[in-house]
Amino acid sequence: MSDFSEELIRSKTEDDQEESSVFSGTGMYFPWLQKHIDTVATEGKKEKDFAQTTSACLGFIQEALLKHQWQEAAGYMHSYLQVLEDSDSHKRQAAPEIIWQLGSEILFYHPKSNTETFNTFADRMKNMGVMNYLKVSLQHALYLMHHGMLEDASRNLSRAETWRYGEKSSSQEVLINLIQAYKGLLQYYTWFKKKMELSNLDEDDYAYNTASQTMLNHSWKTSVNLCALIQTPGVWDPFVKSYVEMLEFCGDQDGAREVLTNYAYDEKFPSNPNAHVYLYNFLKREKAPREKLISVLKILYQIVPSHKLMLEFHRLLRKSGSMPSIGLDLMTLSKSRSLPAEPARGAPEHNFFTEGILLKSKQEDHRKLGLEVLFGVLDFAGCTKNITAWKYLAKYLRQTLMGNHLAWVQE
């Protein structure tokens, strides 16, 4: 097999019609396939036979892929290409995408395939169905990235970025945004390497200032490619992380916070635990108040009770709920606020006692939730051997029972 992509896309002549029904594209003989095709050929009209043959062939390809029989799948694929001549216009239009999806999977794993073969196949498939040009280009670029051919992938994405067919549809717009974002991700990779080089330079050195300015300019160009995509509802974790890292490097903390907040809380975006993790880590770097950190992790707890951050959530709740008794709370409040000697006429009196009661209630809520979080973590099979979680539970149970909160444990 000198060029497998040729086997997938070449047209069959009348001379090799019979041979190709017996031998696969890899030269392997399948008598049971021939028997099935012979049976179909005697059952009715040509159009019906054609549809049954291609349908059967597609089934054999799918079965071979499930069993990771890549060479057998290649043989069936050679015969399946006749679907491009189907009299049914709907099947004929859908065929290029099916051929691309199946063919690219086979080429990715086939023992005799290589990048040159894959590139040839992808380039021809881009022109076989114009409606699939952007999809094929994007997946082709991902294949090149996987094989470390980053410059080739970037050129591929640049060509696809400027491609247009007819009026720009919403589906085309999303794909173009995705293509631009992956191009931005490649630019981020270059930016990140320069960032690592910058960390090795002396900040007082002239070279540091020059390199830093270059990175600022580069981050702005990269951000443009990432920005459009992350505003579209979806799960865009690697793009959001890259974008936020560059915003932080540029000193735009407000912009980074806004991006992460929208990604976590905007109802248009699907529920995504990572979005809350990114926001929490950012706020932690900013040394945000404990209450803010707790509010973020509380939502993560509702989504993934067994997340590795839950023990940290428990520690935050424990610190928040372990304040002194209500008498000391009132003293702290009175010292932290200065009241006028005589309140303004008609102004409501400030009730420290009521505020202290609310604070005490909030502390108890946090302590109770802290116990619930530990039970939630240890309730998952993957966490039952977490020694730290068991130690936390033993200590916290003792404190809870000593505090006369048996009802919390029972609940």
Side-chain angles (χ1 to χ4, degrees):
M1 187 184 69
S2 59
D3 191 342
F4 181 66
S5 65
E6 292 292 338
E7 289 294 317
L8 287 180
I9 60 181
R10 72 181 179 87
S11 300
K12 293 187 290 183
T13 62
E14 292 181 359
D15 293 338
D16 67 2
Q17 284 284 353
E18 182 177 349
E19 181 183 355
S20 65
S21 67
V22 179
F23 291 93
S24 75
T26 55
M28 298 182 68
Y29 180 58
F30 299 97
W32 48 280
L33 175 60
Q34 175 63 51
K35 180 180 178 181
H36 180 89
I37 294 175
D38 289 342
T39 302
V40 171
T42 60
E43 285 183 355
K45 296 182 180 179
K46 184 177 179 180
E47 290 79 4
K48 183 179 179 181
D49 297 346
F50 187 90
Q52 290 180 341
T53 302
T54 54
S55 178
C57 198
L58 180 59
F60 292 137
I61 294 171
Q62 293 171 333
E63 184 178 354
L65 290 178
L66 287 173
K67 295 179 179 179
H68 295 179
Q69 298 171 342
W70 312 114
Q71 290 178 310
E72 287 83 346
Y76 304 144
M77 195 69 191
H78 177 69
S79 298
Y80 181 70
L81 292 174
Q82 64 184 318
V83 74
L84 294 169
E85 302 171 7
D86 200 306
S87 58
D88 187 325
S89 60
H90 178 72
K91 290 183 179 179
R92 196 167 59 247
Q93 291 173 3
E97 183 170 3
I98 296 174
I99 292 171
W100 160 250
Q101 296 290 354
L102 296 176
S104 60
E105 185 78 3
I106 294 169
L107 283 172
F108 189 85
Y109 293 105
H110 199 286
K112 295 184 180 179
S113 179
N114 53 46
T115 53
E116 183 180 354
T117 300
F118 193 97
N119 290 342
T120 301
F121 177 63
D123 288 340
R124 296 199 182 186
M125 290 305 301
K126 290 173 191 176
N127 298 317
M128 185 176 288
V130 291
M131 298 305 293
N132 298 318
Y133 184 93
L134 293 176
K135 289 182 182 178
V136 175
S137 295
L138 180 57
Q139 292 177 2
H140 185 197
L142 293 176
Y143 173 87
L144 294 171
M145 289 182 202
H146 178 79
H147 286 80
M149 304 170 68
L150 303 185
E151 292 184 3
D152 290 341
S154 182
R155 283 193 292 270
N156 192 294
L157 291 171
S158 294
R159 286 195 296 269
E161 186 182 7
T162 58
W163 183 88
R164 296 292 184 277
Y165 176 76
E167 295 184 5
K168 188 176 180 181
S169 63
S170 57
S171 59
Q172 275 188 22
E173 186 173 0
V174 171
L175 279 170
I176 290 171
N177 287 343
L178 194 56
I179 284 168
Q180 290 173 338
Y182 270 105
K183 184 179 176 182
L185 208 58
L186 286 173
Q187 293 170 336
Y188 162 80
Y189 178 72
T190 303
W191 177 87
F192 183 79
K193 288 196 296 184
K194 290 181 178 179
K195 182 185 176 184
M196 292 296 98
E197 294 171 2
L198 189 65
S199 64
N200 296 324
L201 297 176
D202 187 349
E203 293 188 14
D204 296 328
D205 193 348
Y206 174 76
Y208 179 90
N209 294 328
T210 303
S212 179
Q213 187 58 49
T214 302
M215 285 193 64
L216 287 172
N217 295 335
H218 189 81
S219 61
W220 179 82
K221 293 178 182 178
T222 304
S223 298
V224 171
N225 282 329
L226 296 173
C227 187
L229 179 69
I230 64 177
Q231 292 177 351
T232 306
V235 178
W236 312 121
D237 292 353
F239 307 101
V240 170
K241 286 181 66 178
S242 304
Y243 185 49
V244 167
E245 185 179 347
M246 287 186 288
L247 288 175
E248 286 189 84
F249 179 84
C250 296
D252 189 0
Q253 299 297 111
D254 292 339
R257 190 185 309 104
E258 182 181 359
V259 169
L260 290 172
T261 302
N262 290 340
Y263 193 53
Y265 296 136
D266 193 326
E267 293 181 354
K268 296 194 295 292
F269 285 81
S271 178
N272 178 10
N274 288 339
H276 301 281
V277 174
Y278 300 153
L279 178 59
Y280 172 76
N281 288 333
F282 173 81
L283 293 173
K284 191 176 176 182
R285 289 194 299 272
E286 276 200 318
K287 302 187 184 305
R290 186 189 300 152
E291 286 300 315
K292 184 66 175 175
L293 298 176
I294 287 175
S295 68
V296 176
L297 289 182
K298 188 179 290 187
I299 298 177
L300 180 63
Y301 168 67
Q302 293 168 355
I303 303 173
V304 189
S306 60
H307 196 279
K308 62 182 181 181
L309 280 175
M310 289 304 102
L311 292 184
E312 190 166 333
F313 182 36
H314 165 77
R315 289 194 295 270
L316 287 171
L317 290 168
R318 190 173 64 201
K319 290 178 182 178
S320 178
S322 63
M323 295 180 71
S325 65
I326 189 167
L328 292 177
D329 289 341
L330 293 175
M331 186 183 299
T332 302
L333 283 170
S334 62
K335 288 181 178 178
S336 64
R337 299 168 184 253
S338 57
L339 293 178
E342 293 184 7
R345 188 179 299 274
E349 292 187 11
H350 202 94
N351 193 329
F352 281 121
F353 185 77
T354 302
E355 191 167 335
I357 292 294
L358 293 174
L359 179 60
K360 188 70 174 177
S361 175
K362 190 172 187 179
Q363 290 172 20
E364 289 206 346
D365 287 343
H366 283 180
R367 287 163 58 196
K368 183 179 179 182
L369 181 57
L371 182 65
E372 180 185 324
V373 167
L374 288 178
F375 275 113
V377 168
L378 291 168
D379 199 35
F380 284 83
C383 302
T384 54
K385 295 183 180 181
N386 190 319
I387 302 300
T388 303
W390 284 112
K391 286 181 177 178
Y392 282 176
L393 181 63
K395 182 179 180 180
Y396 211 62
L397 272 176
R398 188 161 52 246
Q399 292 176 355
T400 302
L401 294 174
M402 289 175 64
N404 296 320
H405 292 298
L406 177 62
W408 293 0
V409 182
Q410 292 173 334
E411 183 182 340

